[in-house]
Amino acid sequence: MTEAAHTPRVFSGIKPSGGLTLGNYLGAIKRWVDMQDQGMETLYCVVDMHAITVWQDPAALTHATREVAAAFIASGIDPAKSILFNQSMVSGHAELGWIFNCVARVGWMNRMTQFKDKAGKSAEKASLGLYAYPSLMAADILLYHATHVPVGEDQKQHVELTRDIAAKFNHDYKCDNFFPAPEPVIEGPATRVMNLRDGSKKMSKSGASDMERINMTDDADTIAKKFKKARTDPDGLPDTLEGLQGRAEARNLVDIYAGLSNQSPEAVIAEYAGAGWGRFKPALADLAVDKLAPISTEMKRLMDDPAEIDRVLRHGADQARAIAEPILARTREIVGFVS
Ligand code: AQP
């Protein structure tokens, strides 16, 4: 049987596994805000079930969940326009995740680079949840028949796996086009913001040193200090983008500037051609403070009223459940579960 065509729908999420970074902001949240006004239904999720794939102190998880929700709202995600909720409030994620565990193949999971990066040498001691993470992520997206998934470059492989899971489910159960093949939306100059001390690693919430990352809640002095100490090379900014080849740290700072100022990296180079780091780094710090300070001030205000954040999340979860329930009911029927 062939199912009906899918209406465009956006889904994306962020783990409340610590304070958010400039990577999360430029690679995800800022772009989610743009997509909110493009005529598609948008669902944005605090993926707390993904967070516990590595140990989270329960009180810290509760705090981080509210803080991530506050960051979404403070950055411009409007709960009147987008469905904003936390994953664990909609139990369909877990249910569909289990079904997909039975569709996805162990060989597929073994190819996931994020598991290798995160589990490192102690893969035997990693949680089973960390290994199965991409299958739950596929459920997050497909539970809503989402067609577009705005993510940073690091998540591309997981969205591709989601397409494989959708295709295998549709094929095995002979239900052509029941689950859509979602598109990863990876756009803009800052889809992979790198670590400030090592340009070969991405900027992460859980990186070992705080100096590696800009946190969305860092104050102006901290941001200036971190950019000042960011690793660069002795050469200043070149005249053309080609002059940044093989200079990962320098390229990263230019891309961050471009992402924050809504310009292309070429335009940034044109403005700062030949400038030394002594001129560029303070300009970058000023720009970052300009963009982040109003957001972190608003986050603090929102965090003063956690009950209101919880109310917004509960309302979003009700809306999300209303979309998920018929899809889940049909999935159970396709699989052959008696209900
Ligand atoms: N450095 C980055 N550059 C661009 N985009 C990024 N994202 C994360 N880091 C960068 C994007 O943010 C979204 C949510 O990511 P997540 O927090 O759910 O997972 P993550 O990618 O594992 O983030 P972290 O910061 O590295 O978390 P930890 O350290 O806890 O594992 C995704 O769209 C991601 O692409």
Side-chain angles (χ1 to χ4, degrees):
M1 83 205 92
T2 300
E3 307 279 331
H6 297 284
T7 43
R9 186 175 281 151
V10 176
F11 178 94
S12 200
I14 291 190
K15 286 182 298 191
S17 49
L20 294 175
T21 70
L22 188 59
N24 296 127
Y25 178 67
L26 291 176
I29 303 174
K30 185 169 183 289
R31 297 168 46 238
W32 299 0
V33 176
D34 298 338
M35 291 188 90
Q36 188 172 243
D37 294 313
Q38 291 175 3
M40 287 186 272
E41 193 168 23
T42 43
L43 290 100
Y44 297 129
C45 187
V46 187
V47 286
D48 46 5
M49 289 159 65
H50 284 286
I52 62 163
T53 54
V54 299
W55 169 251
Q56 304 294 331
D57 170 76
L61 178 67
T62 305
H63 177 84
T65 301
R66 291 181 179 136
E67 195 177 66
V68 171
F72 289 180
I73 299 167
S75 301
I77 290 171
D78 179 352
K81 292 183 184 167
S82 292
I83 299 177
L84 197 169
F85 66 110
N86 60 310
Q87 185 188 25
S88 61
M89 271 209 243
V90 181
S91 58
H93 290 256
E95 185 178 343
L96 191 60
W98 179 258
I99 294 172
F100 287 167
N101 281 347
C102 302
V103 173
R105 305 289 92 184
V106 169
W108 299 1
M109 295 293 153
N110 287 342
R111 284 195 288 277
M112 295 297 111
T113 54
Q114 181 165 294
F115 178 75
K116 290 181 200 156
D117 292 347
K118 296 219 154 138
K121 292 197 179 80
S122 46
E124 291 281 316
K125 291 199 175 121
S127 73
L128 190 53
L130 187 66
Y131 187 66
Y133 182 122
S135 168
L136 179 61
M137 180 164 155
D140 300 336
I141 297 164
L142 296 174
L143 182 60
Y144 304 101
H145 279 180
T147 53
H148 295 75
V149 189
V151 283
E153 186 65 43
D154 57 314
Q155 292 295 335
K156 186 172 179 217
Q157 196 187 30
H158 289 165
V159 183
E160 282 164 358
L161 183 94
T162 301
R163 296 167 64 92
D164 292 342
I165 291 177
K168 184 163 165 52
F169 183 98
N170 292 345
H171 173 267
D172 290 355
Y173 288 103
K174 299 185 178 48
C175 52
D176 196 26
N177 201 36
F178 175 61
F179 285 119
E183 292 289 339
V185 185
I186 303 171
E187 286 167 352
T191 54
R192 189 167 170 80
V193 177
M194 307 310 282
N195 179 320
L196 297 180
R197 307 311 291 265
D198 177 351
S200 69
K201 294 190 189 144
K202 80 162 189 156
M203 184 181 286
S204 268
K205 303 181 201 85
S206 57
S209 157
D210 199 53
M211 292 301 286
E212 295 172 2
R213 60 181 166 266
I214 303 289
N215 302 303
M216 283 182 73
T217 50
D218 280 343
D219 62 28
D221 288 348
T222 310
I223 291 176
K225 187 172 81 191
K226 287 180 176 176
F227 278 127
K228 191 169 174 206
K229 296 214 179 263
R231 192 169 146 191
T232 38
D233 49 40
D235 302 331
L237 287 171
D239 297 338
T240 62
L241 207 55
E242 288 70 49
L244 289 174
Q245 255 173 23
R247 301 170 62 194
E249 286 85 6
R251 174 74 208 230
N252 187 38
L253 296 187
V254 169
D255 285 347
I256 292 175
Y257 194 103
L260 285 169
S261 60
N262 295 320
Q263 296 180 79
S264 66
E266 287 85 353
V268 177
I269 291 290
E271 189 182 341
Y272 286 96
W277 296 114
R279 183 176 149 223
F280 186 72
K281 283 179 168 182
L284 175 59
D286 286 348
L287 175 64
V289 170
D290 221 45
K291 299 288 170 185
L292 293 181
I295 298 176
S296 65
T297 305
E298 179 62 3
M299 279 171 71
K300 280 195 199 94
R301 192 190 68 75
L302 292 165
M303 286 297 281
D304 284 342
D305 188 358
E308 174 57 16
I309 296 178
D310 295 0
R311 194 199 60 75
V312 169
L313 291 173
R314 272 197 304 276
H315 175 63
D318 289 342
Q319 295 175 296
R321 246 181 257 114
I323 300 173
E325 217 19 81
I327 294 173
L328 208 48
R330 178 83 185 109
T331 307
R332 293 186 197 110
E333 189 181 46
I334 290 171
V335 171
F337 290 157
V338 174
S339 58

